[in-house]
Amino acid sequence: MRILMVCLGNICRSPLAEGILQSKVNTAIKVDSAGTAAYHVGELPDKRSIAVAKKYGIDLTNQRARKFTVKYFDTFDLIYAMDESNYQNILALSRDKDDEQKVSMILNEVHPSSNEDVPDPYYGGNDGFENVYQMLDEACTIIADKIK
């Protein structure tokens, strides 16, 4: 099983989601992340994402930002978008119904069919990163329980 987490720049939300979920599943399940924009390709996650993850014993420093491409529909079994905008950007690259069926909004795991966004904490303070961590931790716990 291979799971991809996707946000805009791949430095705040999706690296956190990747780290959180990977910490909850066995190593046979591969978790990765990407962004729909290429703003930060090759960069480490945001220092605030690294800090909040570290607070909970998760190391994000091995991650580097990358851009989502069509080939990821072939590489990953499940693709989780952090918000509606990124969800639509991913679907715009889909080639068929099989690709589309792989894509979900991550918070629908917690609140089915709600299509709630994980807020982008980039322009906020540290509290925003803590809030995002808690939201993603809850969603990732549900995902991990489903795929075990």
Side-chain angles (χ1 to χ4, degrees):
M1 165 90 38
R2 293 186 53 89
I3 300 169
L4 185 69
M5 304 296 189
V6 183
C7 68
L8 182 61
N10 192 213
I11 61 167
C12 295
R13 297 169 289 176
S14 57
L16 275 172
E18 175 187 343
I20 293 166
L21 184 58
Q22 193 66 69
S23 76
K24 295 177 181 293
V25 297
N26 69 53
T27 55
I29 297 169
K30 300 300 178 199
V31 186
D32 213 329
S33 62
T36 58
Y39 305 134
H40 303 283
V41 169
E43 294 179 18
L44 281 166
D46 186 287
K47 64 183 187 221
R48 297 165 293 178
S49 286
I50 292 171
V52 75
K54 185 176 180 182
K55 175 180 168 183
Y56 294 99
I58 299 169
D59 182 10
L60 305 182
T61 60
N62 62 334
Q63 297 182 29
R64 296 297 180 273
R66 61 187 183 159
K67 187 175 187 304
F68 184 89
T69 66
V70 172
K71 71 178 180 179
Y72 293 150
F73 287 112
D74 298 325
T75 308
F76 294 95
D77 304 299
L78 298 171
I79 300 170
Y80 285 102
M82 299 297 122
D83 61 36
E84 181 68 25
S85 175
N86 288 297
Y87 177 78
Q88 292 302 327
N89 289 337
I90 297 164
L91 288 182
L93 294 173
S94 66
R95 301 161 295 190
D96 54 34
K97 290 284 184 204
D98 289 337
D99 287 355
E100 290 175 13
Q101 290 178 347
K102 293 181 177 190
V103 186
S104 302
M105 297 275 289
I106 194 163
L107 291 185
N108 281 348
E109 295 294 337
V110 179
H111 307 287
S113 302
S114 66
N115 295 328
E116 289 180 42
D117 290 349
V118 176
D120 189 343
Y122 185 77
Y123 292 107
N126 293 338
D127 289 348
F129 284 82
E130 178 67 34
N131 183 44
V132 164
Y133 181 92
Q134 296 303 325
M135 293 173 137
L136 292 173
D137 186 57
E138 185 177 10
C140 287
T141 296
I142 294 167
I143 295 166
D145 288 346
K146 282 183 174 181
I147 61 177
K148 284 182 179 177

